[in-house]
Amino acid sequence: MNYKKTNKQPYRERFRQCLLDYTDERLWEQSYLKAKCKELNLENEYKRYQLRLWISYLTVFFPLFIIVIVGIELVALTFVQYRGVHYMDFFFNGMTLLMVTSLMSINFYESFVSRHRWVMVVTSVLSAYTVVFFDIAQNTYYFYNHGWPLNSSYDVFVLCMIYMFLPIPSIRGAALLATSVSMVYVAYFLHFIAFDQNNKVRSIHGLDVISVDIFHYLGFNMMGIFFRIMNDTMVRSSFLDRHQFIKEEMWLRHALRQESMLVDSILPPQIAKPIKNSIKNKIMQAEIEFERFSMGVSRRSENFMAIQIHPDVTILYADVVNYTHLTTTLTVEKLVKVLHDLYGRFDVAASQFKVQRIKFLGDCYYCVAGLAEPDPDHAKMAVSLGISMIANIQEVRAERGLDIDMRIGVHSGSLLGGVMGEAKLQFDIWGADVDIASRLEATGKPGYVHVSGRTLSNLNTGDYIIMQGTEKAQKDPVLQKHPMSTYLLTSAEIRDSVKSTAKGGQARANLNIHTLGPNRNTHIGSLDSVSDELRGEFDKMPVGGLDFRILCCRRDKIDRDEEAKRQLGNFCVAFRDSSLEWSYLEQPDFIFKSSMLLAWGIGCCLIYIQVVTNKIICTTCIVIDLFAFSLLTALLCISWYKKLCWWRYGENDFKDYNEFSCKIFHLFEKIQHSFVLRITVYIMIIVCYYMVIFLILINCDQSQYELDFIESKLFHYEMDRDSCFHPWAFTNMMALVIGMSYTFARIPFALKTIIGCCEAVVYLLIVSFQYVFIFQHSSTTTPYLRAEIAHCTRVCMMLITMYAKERQSEFNTKMNYKLNVDLQKKQKAADVTNQSIIILLNNILPSHVVELYLNSVANHELYYENYRMVSVMFAMLINFQMDLPSLRVLNDIITEFDRLLTSYKDYYSVEKIKVVGCTYMAACGLDYNLASKIRNTDLRSSSYQCEMDRVRSRQTSMSIDFDANRNQEVIFMMTTFGLDLMRTLSVCNKAYAGRPFDRALSTGEICIGISSGEIMAGVVGASQPHYDIWGNPVNMASRMESTGLPGHIQVTEESAKVLEEFDIMCFYRGLTFVKGRGEIPTYFVGIDDNLQFISRRSYLPSLSHSRDSVSI
């Protein structure tokens, strides 16, 4: 993601306005992910992938379960002193192992289970209750037959088994099963209390102990539910990511076809091919510099020019009468609708008559017949189109109640056609016959087609009503250079109009415009082929686990899986590529709030168990408990505050929060995005847990406990155990903390493993050395097995179980991350070869318009905007003849202008609108936010930066608020760009002056006109999208150029006053006649012989009298 420096003032304003952005977190909400899967019709595919995942979990569960059962038996065989009654353990554990493995083996038949998904649930329920039944049966047998009050062996393990390994698709179903198992164990404990006549089991299953067990089970159930929710969230997120990347690949395969259609909609085929080849060559030559080229930056010394000669064509020029009145009276929405309706009709008619539309020039629409391919009827086609256009505009006039009409001029001859420059490539035509067609339109009569005698000679006169041409045509100086007769034509028959569709013309209907934008969610190709391809890619997603297919599956498929697994370490599942591992760890944790909710819940359970276990009330205990609870609660509030605000004000996107809320949001986001802070919070939580746990150790009077125990045995009374903690409560708390240490999300697996192992080692030291007497004289899980061994076995079993679970989850998460990284690289590499689509789009429309326009087209809407302050410039090159040598020079100059243009995109957007003949049209202020999107900070215009620094320093010394002129700065920007055009032209003139064959071309001059104010912008046209701007500033800038003088920049009075605020001298020219406005005061921008702005501040003292007259 690209970041750019921003100005201080906008940053402070943005900081002051604290808004809630819950977008990223929303993408990780389980409800959103489920809805997204259903929206994309992926739920069935997800269930297939989920089934593969559950089978992979079973491949981990089977060896784990065998290790646990066999391990417990080995421990019993090793440490039990009297094995005479141990044969029943073998029976119960053997039956448990046999029945569970038999039941769960059914789920390895993937095709059968996929058709009968209830089998997974039934086998899971039966397996869970099988473990519970034999565990309780074993304890019951020993209690009633041998008087052994034993503790349960598998209560914790079976809860982990249900949540983490058994294939129960529903989280609710897993929670219900685990809750019922917990209730069965609690009922089993209550049964002993009810039927214990000799008080043998009070120390094991007393009411206080049962309440501890209830909270212990509650903690494990919360942990299990959290694991299932987070696992489902991670899996669904990875699944949707894979779907997105697969769709991206499919889009890339269709990009070339879309590219060809797009090019054909912009340029004639004979011009499009060399343009496309040129773009491809530039991309292949410099992939690293591609982005700079896409913005128009080229470092090649040779300029590309695609111009062709067309010897036998017919040119049509059409002008909308009263267009200026239209653009100044209608709203932007109505104007764009009218123009789109009108030009859309023209495009459809042009397509029907096989006429190539060239471009719009405000009110002018011109096109050529016989251009794309030779056509002997090109004159007839052009005239027929002209008559159809008149019929269309008359229909629009009647429907919309507008006072508009159309003048049309048509002439047959030859022309030069092609593109110039390297930014905003637009096809254009030049030549004497083009000028004649333009003048025929200008001297024509509304409602008629004004044709030359050459065009009339190619028509069947019986098809038309023919009248003599206008008197203006006979007096026109351009037409007088080529003596000819002109005629006014209209159709002998009434011609129907052609209605354009609101959704675009024929060419656009074929162009799949969705695939050109950043969100390419369109369906490409047939649904069957897409589904098959998606299913094949989803089948490649890794599921981890142990691969039992090696005996039955193809070697190549196994090799692909093994190759993927070799990229990860065996023990800690870390990427062997350290940079990739670090990139994975630096990902933000958008489920941090869920982890904190679980941490808070586990903390509350531990505090309760500690309070119940510690019968002695101490100040230290109260303080530490309150500290731990307060810290956990504070972290919980910080992590959930944003969510709560979103729940309450989610619909109000512009809700402005106070400073306190803003600080909470900022702190939470820092924790989310900071790997170090997440580790810190994780360590703090673990430390809090152990502070609570060790309270029951420090309050234990071990000496008193030993004395009470000995006396109870000597004098045969029931000892008071309140002097020390309950050993199994401590063990269960440790098991809970170990589980929590592994379950906390987005923490490195290696760190979790290290902390888990350290916790187990510390526990073993406490049991074996520090409090060995207490643990030795607690209940055990197997007859004649030392109690401390039973305690250690439970903790070790918990550690192994959590390690196996977390390693499986970590493996799947990391493999999906790695595959997504690989797909992104592949997409990026493929994108480089198809970037000409983006270049072409940006050569039709301004950069900031492309995405908005695509969204508008996708929604079948018209794109238009209204701007309060935009500066418009017309710059006309003088002394150019429209022949091939002159066009070559003109192309070089326009190319240099385009290269200069890129330098101005780093501050404000100076957009090239179009080039018409020798006139270069640009506008400034169409996009204020473009600067943040530009990466090439080294391309800042040195002249603009110099001028801006000078203005800033002088305004500071004059105590002028620079930021107050922010909107008016576009005028200064546009004027500086105009001055740079003059400087560029001067350099070009000097370069051509040294070439004898081009010496006549080295005297070119430029005349520039600038005007500013409110304008309208939009995209119109059916077959070829065309971006244009309208409004009084556009008209006035054109008049400033046409009435200006070579070597000068002429501006209106309003613009001159603004420029004076920027310390630029403006000289009063006088009253200048402007068509449609009469005589208005105009000004020349002060420019010295070195092509530098004349400073008003330094010039004012010597010309104070002159400036007074200017002010008047």
Side-chain angles (χ1 to χ4, degrees):
M1 194 171 180
N2 185 36
Y3 296 95
K4 291 281 291 181
K5 288 177 66 177
T6 56
N7 296 324
K8 292 182 179 179
Q9 183 65 22
Y11 175 80
R12 284 198 291 265
E13 290 177 357
R14 180 169 58 85
F15 185 78
R16 245 192 327 265
Q17 188 179 20
C18 183
L19 302 178
L20 175 63
D21 183 9
Y22 198 72
T23 305
D24 292 333
E25 289 85 349
R26 181 72 179 126
L27 297 178
W28 288 85
E29 298 281 349
Q30 193 180 34
S31 58
Y32 170 83
L33 294 172
K34 286 184 177 180
K36 195 67 177 177
C37 282
K38 291 181 180 179
E39 177 188 340
L40 297 173
N41 296 320
L42 295 176
E43 195 64 27
N44 290 333
E45 292 300 324
Y46 174 75
K47 289 179 179 178
R48 291 182 69 250
Y49 175 60
Q50 190 181 45
L51 176 59
R52 292 176 53 226
L53 274 178
W54 284 120
I55 293 176
S56 75
Y57 294 157
L58 288 179
T59 65
V60 176
F61 170 72
F62 266 58
L64 174 66
F65 189 62
I66 293 172
I67 290 172
V68 169
I69 297 293
V70 174
I72 289 176
E73 287 301 317
L74 290 176
V75 168
L77 289 173
T78 304
F79 295 100
V80 170
Q81 299 174 355
Y82 303 99
R83 299 187 179 91
V85 295
H86 193 64
Y87 62 91
M88 289 303 298
D89 277 3
F90 285 104
F91 171 76
F92 287 120
N93 288 330
M95 289 299 298
T96 301
L97 181 62
L98 178 64
M99 292 188 64
V100 171
T101 52
S102 300
L103 286 169
M104 299 313 298
S105 297
I106 300 174
N107 294 283
F108 284 108
Y109 296 94
E110 185 176 345
S111 58
F112 173 74
V113 175
S114 62
R115 295 193 303 271
H116 309 284
R117 298 182 69 88
W118 56 268
V119 172
M120 294 188 296
V121 179
V122 171
T123 55
S124 297
V125 172
L126 291 177
S127 296
Y129 274 106
T130 296
V131 177
V132 174
F133 172 78
F134 283 110
D135 187 25
I136 294 177
Q138 177 183 350
N139 293 352
T140 305
Y141 169 80
Y142 283 117
F143 178 75
Y144 285 108
N145 289 278
H146 301 282
W148 279 92
L150 301 176
N151 206 350
S152 57
S153 300
Y154 298 105
D155 54 346
V156 172
F157 179 78
V158 74
L159 293 179
C160 294
M161 181 178 84
I162 291 170
Y163 284 113
M164 301 171 187
F165 298 107
L166 295 187
I168 305 174
S170 169
I171 298 176
R172 184 178 301 174
L176 289 175
L177 177 59
T179 303
S180 66
V181 167
S182 302
M183 293 174 65
V184 167
Y185 273 107
V186 172
Y188 159 72
F189 299 150
L190 293 174
H191 157 79
F192 276 101
I193 295 176
F195 294 94
D196 181 22
Q197 299 177 356
N198 300 321
N199 295 326
K200 292 182 179 181
V201 296
R202 177 178 294 183
S203 61
I204 303 175
H205 303 300
L207 292 177
D208 56 339
V209 178
I210 289 180
S211 68
V212 168
D213 287 333
I214 289 174
F215 274 83
H216 168 236
Y217 292 144
L218 175 62
F220 269 101
N221 276 280
M222 288 192 299
M223 190 186 305
I225 293 172
F226 171 82
F227 170 77
R228 287 296 301 267
I229 293 175
M230 291 303 100
N231 186 65
D232 187 66
T233 300
M234 292 289 190
V235 171
R236 281 187 183 271
S237 178
S238 299
F239 188 80
L240 289 172
D241 285 343
R242 175 56 61 90
H243 171 262
Q244 178 64 27
F245 288 126
I246 294 170
K247 298 295 285 185
E248 289 286 343
E249 277 197 318
M250 294 168 63
W251 172 83
L252 288 170
R253 287 197 292 269
H254 292 264
L256 286 175
R257 180 174 60 86
Q258 297 294 323
E259 175 195 51
S260 298
M261 295 176 63
L262 182 60
V263 173
D264 293 341
S265 74
I266 306 169
L267 305 170
Q270 66 274 22
I271 294 294
K273 186 174 181 179
I275 291 290
K276 188 163 59 173
N277 291 338
S278 174
I279 293 173
K280 294 290 184 184
N281 291 334
K282 290 182 179 181
I283 294 174
M284 293 174 63
Q285 288 176 6
E287 290 185 359
I288 297 178
E289 296 295 327
F290 168 72
E291 186 177 357
R292 298 179 69 188
F293 169 74
S294 68
M295 293 182 294
V297 179
S298 176
R299 299 302 178 211
R300 297 181 60 188
S301 58
E302 181 180 353
N303 296 328
F304 174 80
M305 183 175 69
I307 293 180
Q308 294 180 338
I309 300 175
H310 300 272
D312 189 19
V313 295
T314 296
I315 306 106
L316 181 148
Y317 267 78
D319 183 81
V320 178
V321 180
N322 283 338
Y323 173 84
T324 302
H325 177 73
L326 204 67
T327 59
T328 55
T329 57
L330 295 182
T331 64
V332 58
E333 181 179 1
K334 291 183 179 179
L335 176 65
V336 172
K337 285 183 177 180
V338 170
L339 293 179
H340 183 74
D341 183 17
L342 195 58
Y343 291 150
R345 292 168 182 257
F346 295 167
D347 283 349
V348 174
S351 177
Q352 289 181 353
F353 291 112
K354 300 180 181 179
V355 180
Q356 176 75 41
R357 188 252 277 177
I358 306 303
K359 65 173 65 174
F360 305 138
L361 297 179
D363 57 348
C364 183
Y365 180 104
Y366 62 103
C367 48
V368 179
L371 183 71
E373 56 184 28
D375 185 359
D377 294 330
H378 55 80
K380 178 182 177 182
M381 292 298 180
V383 172
S384 298
L385 173 62
I387 295 173
S388 176
M389 293 169 75
I390 293 172
N392 274 280
I393 200 169
Q394 290 175 349
E395 182 173 320
V396 171
R397 178 178 61 188
E399 288 179 354
R400 299 182 179 272
L402 301 172
D403 183 18
I404 54 175
D405 210 331
M406 178 149 281
R407 289 193 309 267
I408 295 177
V410 179
H411 176 64
S412 301
S414 61
L415 55 80
L416 297 169
V419 295
M420 282 193 177
E422 60 180 30
K424 298 294 182 290
L425 302 180
Q426 296 176 347
F427 186 77
D428 208 348
I429 55 176
W430 307 273
D433 291 322
V434 176
D435 296 336
I436 291 173
S438 176
R439 296 313 302 166
L440 284 171
E441 172 272 311
T443 59
K445 183 178 180 181
Y448 293 89
V449 180
H450 195 196
V451 302
S452 64
R454 187 185 300 177
T455 300
L456 185 63
S457 65
N458 293 321
L459 300 175
N460 183 2
T461 56
D463 295 338
Y464 309 96
I465 299 174
I466 304 174
M467 294 174 285
Q468 195 64 32
T470 62
E471 293 184 5
K472 288 183 180 180
Q474 298 175 4
K475 299 177 181 179
D476 187 81
V478 176
L479 296 179
Q480 290 303 315
K481 292 180 182 179
H482 312 276
M484 66 179 71
S485 299
T486 64
Y487 304 91
L488 295 173
L489 301 184
T490 186
S491 178
E493 299 178 359
I494 299 176
R495 190 180 297 275
D496 294 333
S497 64
V498 181
K499 284 198 173 184
S500 67
T501 63
K503 298 179 182 179
Q506 297 171 346
R508 186 182 296 179
N510 295 326
L511 181 63
N512 194 351
I513 206 75
H514 292 70
T515 64
L516 304 179
N519 300 318
R520 301 182 283 267
N521 295 327
T522 185
H523 293 284
I524 303 172
S526 66
L527 292 177
D528 293 337
S529 64
V530 172
S531 298
D532 293 340
E533 189 167 2
L534 284 173
R535 188 173 293 111
E537 291 293 333
F538 290 144
D539 288 341
K540 297 177 184 178
M541 292 183 69
V543 291
L546 300 177
D547 198 347
F548 298 143
R549 301 170 299 168
I550 191 169
L551 300 175
C552 60
C553 296
R554 296 197 316 269
R555 186 75 238 170
D556 57 344
K557 187 172 183 180
I558 296 172
D559 288 342
R560 289 197 301 269
D561 294 343
E562 290 300 321
E563 178 64 27
K565 293 180 181 179
R566 278 196 290 269
Q567 299 179 33
L568 295 173
N570 293 324
F571 183 71
C572 293
V573 204
F575 284 116
R576 300 189 188 277
D577 183 351
S578 58
S579 62
L580 188 62
E581 176 69 17
W582 185 248
S583 175
Y584 171 80
L585 293 176
E586 284 188 316
Q587 291 185 104
D589 181 12
F590 293 114
I591 56 177
F592 175 77
K593 62 179 181 296
S594 300
S595 298
M596 276 309 309
L597 181 60
L598 174 65
W600 183 85
I602 298 296
C604 291
C605 291
L606 291 174
I607 291 173
Y608 175 82
I609 295 173
Q610 180 268 321
V611 171
V612 172
T613 303
N614 260 347
K615 303 296 178 62
I616 302 173
I617 300 176
C618 64
T619 306
T620 304
C621 299
I622 296 174
V623 171
I624 292 179
D625 285 340
L626 288 177
F627 172 78
F629 181 77
S630 300
L631 179 61
L632 293 173
T633 304
L635 290 172
L636 179 69
C637 294
I638 291 172
S639 59
W640 279 87
Y641 184 74
K642 188 175 183 180
K643 173 74 172 180
L644 294 175
C645 291
W646 183 78
W647 270 338
R648 185 172 182 182
Y649 305 107
E651 300 299 327
N652 187 1
D653 294 335
F654 300 101
K655 165 73 175 174
D656 192 8
Y657 293 87
N658 56 32
E659 185 178 356
F660 173 78
S661 298
C662 202
K663 288 181 179 179
I664 297 295
F665 295 160
H666 181 63
L667 177 59
F668 173 60
E669 289 168 1
K670 283 188 67 176
I671 296 174
Q672 270 188 325
H673 291 79
S674 172
F675 169 70
V676 175
L677 288 179
R678 291 203 304 272
I679 296 294
T680 304
V681 171
Y682 171 72
I683 298 297
M684 288 171 57
I685 292 172
I686 299 298
V687 170
C688 279
Y689 289 166
Y690 280 101
M691 289 171 60
V692 173
I693 291 176
F694 282 103
L695 285 177
I696 66 176
L697 297 181
I698 63 176
N699 286 322
C700 174
D701 188 349
Q702 190 171 188
S703 301
Q704 182 65 41
Y705 183 87
E706 293 177 5
L707 180 62
D708 292 343
F709 184 82
I710 295 172
E711 289 181 350
S712 68
K713 296 299 182 182
L714 290 174
F715 300 106
H716 303 287
Y717 67 86
E718 185 179 353
M719 70 171 289
D720 183 10
R721 297 180 180 271
D722 292 345
S723 60
C724 212
F725 60 89
H726 194 288
W728 278 108
F730 179 78
T731 299
N732 289 335
M733 291 173 76
M734 287 297 300
L736 200 56
V737 174
I738 289 175
M740 183 60 202
S741 300
Y742 270 102
T743 307
F744 206 94
R746 289 296 185 190
I747 301 298
F749 179 67
L751 178 62
K752 293 180 179 180
T753 302
I754 292 172
I755 290 179
C757 292
C758 290
E759 291 169 342
V761 170
V762 171
Y763 175 81
L764 293 177
L765 293 175
I766 292 173
V767 172
S768 303
F769 298 99
Q770 186 68 27
Y771 294 92
V772 60
F773 185 85
I774 297 174
F775 284 96
Q776 280 180 348
H777 294 86
S778 64
S779 61
T780 185
T781 56
T782 302
Y784 300 106
L785 178 66
R786 289 161 54 189
E788 66 270 24
I789 302 298
H791 284 274
C792 293
T793 302
R794 169 163 294 193
V795 170
C796 292
M797 182 172 63
M798 185 66 189
L799 180 64
I800 295 171
T801 302
M802 297 306 295
Y803 172 82
K805 178 271 300 184
E806 190 63 20
R807 188 188 184 282
Q808 172 76 352
S809 299
E810 187 81 355
F811 175 86
N812 289 329
T813 303
K814 284 193 172 179
M815 285 308 304
N816 282 316
Y817 175 76
K818 177 63 170 61
L819 287 173
N820 288 341
V821 169
D822 292 341
L823 282 170
Q824 283 179 319
K825 291 179 180 178
K826 183 178 180 181
Q827 174 201 8
K828 185 176 181 180
D831 251 337
V832 171
T833 63
N834 293 278
Q835 282 293 333
S836 54
I837 278 187
I838 307 301
I839 297 175
L840 291 168
L841 269 176
N842 283 275
N843 273 303
I844 310 171
L845 310 173
S847 301
H848 71 283
V849 175
V850 173
E851 184 176 348
L852 296 173
Y853 169 67
L854 293 180
N855 292 335
S856 299
V857 174
N859 296 325
H860 308 302
E861 299 172 351
L862 297 178
Y863 169 75
Y864 52 85
E865 290 179 294
N866 200 8
Y867 297 93
R868 190 170 64 87
M869 175 56 71
V870 173
S871 187
V872 184
M873 181 200 74
F874 280 77
M876 182 176 183
L877 295 166
I878 304 173
N879 298 331
F880 272 95
Q881 299 295 325
M882 292 294 100
D883 53 18
L884 198 56
S886 297
L887 289 177
R888 178 168 164 266
V889 176
L890 180 62
N891 178 66
D892 288 343
I893 295 174
I894 296 299
T895 298
E896 293 302 321
F897 286 177
D898 289 345
R899 291 173 179 173
L900 172 67
L901 187 71
T902 61
S903 303
Y904 281 79
K905 288 190 175 183
D906 204 32
Y907 193 78
Y908 278 138
S909 172
V910 177
E911 284 288 349
K912 174 184 175 182
I913 304 301
K914 66 184 74 170
V915 173
V916 183
C918 297
T919 302
Y920 193 97
M921 179 183 176
C924 178
L926 295 175
D927 180 24
Y928 288 100
N929 298 319
L930 189 64
S932 63
K933 305 174 187 176
I934 304 300
R935 300 180 183 177
N936 298 33
T937 56
D938 58 329
L939 296 178
R940 183 181 294 275
S941 171
S942 58
S943 61
Y944 171 74
Q945 186 64 31
C946 179
E947 296 292 344
M948 181 55 68
D949 291 342
R950 179 178 63 83
V951 170
R952 285 178 183 269
S953 63
R954 294 186 180 179
Q955 287 191 335
T956 301
S957 63
M958 296 169 64
S959 300
I960 297 176
D961 185 5
F962 179 79
D963 290 329
N965 299 333
R966 182 72 63 183
N967 290 332
Q968 296 178 341
E969 189 180 339
V970 295
I971 303 174
F972 171 75
M973 181 72 176
M974 194 80 263
T975 308
T976 307
F977 178 69
L979 180 61
D980 270 343
L981 291 185
M982 298 174 67
R983 293 167 178 166
T984 302
L985 180 61
S986 176
V987 173
C988 292
N989 287 339
K990 292 177 182 178
Y992 280 108
R995 301 182 185 181
F997 59 91
D998 283 328
R999 187 175 296 278
L1001 302 173
S1002 64
T1003 58
E1005 293 184 282
I1006 190 169
C1007 182
I1008 299 177
I1010 295 176
S1011 181
S1012 307
E1014 185 176 359
I1015 73 159
M1016 298 172 283
V1019 179
V1020 294
S1023 63
Q1024 302 173 20
H1026 175 81
Y1027 179 83
D1028 209 350
I1029 58 176
W1030 309 277
N1032 185 64
V1034 180
N1035 302 329
M1036 289 303 299
S1038 176
R1039 305 306 181 203
M1040 290 297 100
E1041 174 265 311
S1042 61
T1043 61
L1045 297 178
H1048 288 82
I1049 300 177
Q1050 184 173 224
V1051 298
T1052 58
E1053 184 176 21
E1054 295 83 0
S1055 298
K1057 290 180 179 180
V1058 173
L1059 291 175
E1060 287 181 350
E1061 295 180 8
F1062 285 86
D1063 194 36
I1064 296 177
M1065 188 70 184
C1066 292
F1067 296 98
Y1068 178 57
R1069 180 188 182 187
L1071 296 176
T1072 304
F1073 178 78
V1074 175
K1075 180 181 177 183
R1077 292 285 299 273
E1079 292 186 342
I1080 63 172
T1082 59
Y1083 294 78
F1084 285 137
V1085 176
I1087 302 172
D1088 61 20
D1089 294 337
N1090 296 321
L1091 296 180
Q1092 299 289 337
F1093 286 129
I1094 298 175
S1095 172
R1096 177 174 177 267
R1097 189 179 180 188
S1098 60
Y1099 203 82
L1100 190 60
S1102 61
L1103 294 177
S1104 57
H1105 178 71
S1106 175
R1107 296 311 303 154
D1108 289 339
S1109 63
V1110 171
S1111 300
I1112 296 172

